[in-house]
Amino acid sequence: MEGPQASPPSVGEGGPGSRREMELVGGCYEQILFGFAVRPEENWTPIPDFTHHAHTASLSAVAVNNRYVVTGSRDETIQIYDMKKKIEHGALLHHNGTITCLEFYGNAHLLSGAEDGLICIWDTKKWECLKSIKAHKGHVTSLSIHPSGKLALSVGTDKTLRTWNLVEGRSAFIKNLKQNAHIVKWSPSGEKYVVVVTNKVDVYKLETASVSGAITTEKRISSVRFITDSVLAIAGDDEVIRLYDCDSQKCLCEFKAHENRIKDIYSFEKQGLQVIVTASSDGYIKLWSLELDKIQDRPSLLCEVNTKARLTCLAVWLDRTSETKENPDNATTSSYDAVHVSLNLLGQIFKIKRMQFCVPNRSLACQ
């Protein structure tokens, strides 16, 4: 069965009229979704907003856009929450397997990946499945949408990195990997991307579709996040956050953020302040202030909250009417050019049929 089910009662405590500039949302093994309202003008103090028994199994993924928070779980469902009205909006039941990754593109589309090997493209206006793609022979472990919305990358347990033409809803090309990758992520400009295999990060340039450098850590990597187009935050199965320069692959800064392994990282910019958010198995969600011009210095702790749960995933819902912004959704002209160049080059490298790539229509579309 597909599409949203009937809307259950409200999950929030503050009501639809409560003023929130941002909300920390975290999922955990205990099947709970936490929400904490944060107001920078009030010393970044996190205020408990809701605690919702979201699923019948542990949460595995969370994503946000202007209006909605969506969560994925080992119970094979995707739950939708309307953050404006502060109510549950329904559930998506298309997948047969743990939901492994969720990512919005703007306010119109959501991509989901799961252990059934499928990637689904959802219309977030009607919450209909526009396209269901058999993406990998094994599990889909991670996906990432290019800032242009024209293509996406995915990795899975079949040792492949796959590029998807989202305009036509089909595969563009396949790159075989030596090992299974579990994370893939585009940079904010879309001019580079990273692929994570165990404890190694390969940095690719879109223009050449080749590895420009590699970063290796001692422990398995659990999460990565681009702070800027050249600065990458990496968390592994330890208590430390490390910031790397993607161009030189040098470690710019490292600091102990938690008492247990870090499960997820998020970041955003608020009034010129770069904020990193971390979630750990120790139950804490922490916000850190990073000064990019003094990046060698340890970030300052803005606030922390103890959920007393084993956290698994993290996101920050942002009120877009404020000045807060995430990594930009829109790609630059140079990024569009790089997409054309890369697709043509990769078509030659992997000996696949060259595809026509339509740029004028900036939104996702599936035929």
Side-chain angles (χ1 to χ4, degrees):
M1 185 174 181
E2 300 176 12
Q5 307 305 296
S7 301
S10 169
V11 300
E13 297 171 3
S18 60
R19 179 175 171 269
R20 297 158 297 151
E21 287 189 13
M22 65 184 73
E23 187 108 10
L24 308 179
V25 288
C28 64
Y29 282 109
E30 290 80 6
Q31 309 170 8
I32 301 295
L33 179 69
F34 296 97
F36 297 91
V38 176
R39 298 184 179 94
E41 69 275 11
E42 297 178 9
N43 297 318
W44 296 86
T45 304
I47 301 168
D49 193 31
F50 64 82
T51 302
H52 177 57
H53 195 166
H55 292 270
T56 58
S58 60
L59 275 71
S60 50
V62 61
V64 297
N65 72 355
N66 273 15
R67 181 161 188 169
Y68 297 104
V69 171
V70 293
T71 58
S73 167
R74 294 182 65 85
D75 66 10
E76 306 181 354
T77 71
I78 300 169
Q79 300 290 333
I80 312 164
Y81 310 93
D82 188 324
M83 294 297 286
K84 297 290 188 181
K85 296 181 179 180
K86 297 195 70 177
I87 60 171
E88 287 185 79
H89 192 71
L92 307 176
L93 309 176
H94 189 83
H95 287 286
N96 292 307
T98 296
I99 310 301
T100 54
C101 42
L102 296 165
E103 186 167 324
F104 281 103
Y105 178 72
N107 293 318
H109 297 92
L110 170 73
L111 265 65
S112 61
E115 288 186 354
D116 56 9
L118 297 180
I119 289 178
C120 294
I121 304 175
W122 302 90
D123 175 354
T124 61
K125 302 300 181 184
K126 298 180 180 179
W127 289 107
E128 294 177 343
C129 184
L130 299 175
K131 189 85 172 181
S132 180
I133 305 167
K134 182 58 178 177
H136 291 269
K137 293 178 181 178
H139 304 166
V140 178
T141 52
S142 180
L143 62 84
S144 186
I145 305 170
H146 188 269
S148 68
K150 299 299 176 182
L151 71 159
L153 297 171
S154 69
V155 291
T157 57
D158 55 1
K159 298 181 182 178
T160 63
L161 166 65
R162 298 177 184 246
T163 302
W164 302 95
N165 177 347
L166 295 180
V167 177
E168 299 180 8
R170 64 177 178 85
S171 175
F173 49 82
I174 302 169
K175 177 178 174 59
N176 292 317
L177 304 173
K178 293 181 180 179
Q179 294 176 274
N180 289 326
H182 63 284
I183 300 174
V184 63
K185 194 169 291 289
W186 287 104
S187 69
S189 72
E191 294 179 4
K192 63 170 69 81
Y193 55 94
V194 295
V195 176
V196 180
V197 177
T198 313
N199 65 330
K200 183 184 178 185
V201 181
D202 283 329
V203 182
Y204 288 78
K205 285 187 177 180
L206 176 62
E207 187 175 6
T208 60
S210 61
V211 177
S212 61
I215 298 166
T216 303
T217 62
E218 291 185 5
K219 300 289 183 70
R220 184 182 188 274
I221 294 168
S222 57
S223 181
V224 299
R225 181 82 178 185
F226 277 97
I227 307 301
T228 68
D229 215 55
S230 59
V231 177
L232 184 71
I234 299 177
D237 285 347
D238 58 14
E239 308 86 9
V240 178
I241 296 287
R242 295 174 176 87
L243 305 179
Y244 283 89
D245 185 315
C246 286
D247 299 322
S248 67
Q249 294 86 52
K250 291 183 179 179
C251 184
L252 303 172
C253 171
E254 65 175 65
F255 63 98
K256 182 178 179 181
H258 290 269
E259 296 301 321
N260 207 328
R261 61 181 178 175
I262 298 165
K263 299 294 289 186
D264 210 353
I265 317 172
Y266 205 84
S267 68
F268 61 90
E269 185 182 337
K270 173 67 176 176
Q271 298 173 345
L273 187 67
Q274 192 68 51
V275 179
I276 299 175
V277 190
T278 58
S280 167
S281 297
D282 63 12
Y284 278 88
I285 299 174
K286 298 186 180 184
L287 275 69
W288 307 84
S289 170
L290 175 67
E291 294 187 50
L292 292 175
D293 57 346
K294 300 178 181 177
I295 200 165
Q296 290 80 11
D297 297 343
R298 174 190 171 91
S300 303
L301 182 64
L302 292 171
C303 67
E304 62 181 32
V305 59
N306 187 3
T307 65
K308 298 181 180 179
R310 296 172 295 165
L311 295 169
T312 57
C313 50
L314 169 74
V316 180
W317 178 81
L318 304 168
D319 184 350
R320 301 297 182 171
T321 60
S322 71
E323 297 178 18
T324 310
K325 64 180 182 179
E326 267 190 291
N327 293 341
D329 280 342
N330 298 324
T332 61
T333 302
S334 62
S335 182
Y336 284 124
D337 294 339
V339 169
H340 279 283
V341 172
S342 180
L343 286 171
N344 289 334
L345 282 173
L346 282 162
Q348 296 168 23
I349 293 168
F350 296 108
K351 297 180 180 179
I352 62 169
K353 183 178 179 181
R354 290 176 65 180
M355 52 180 265
Q356 201 67 29
F357 200 69
C358 176
V359 167
N361 174 17
R362 291 178 61 87
S363 62
L364 283 161
C366 300
Q367 300 175 352

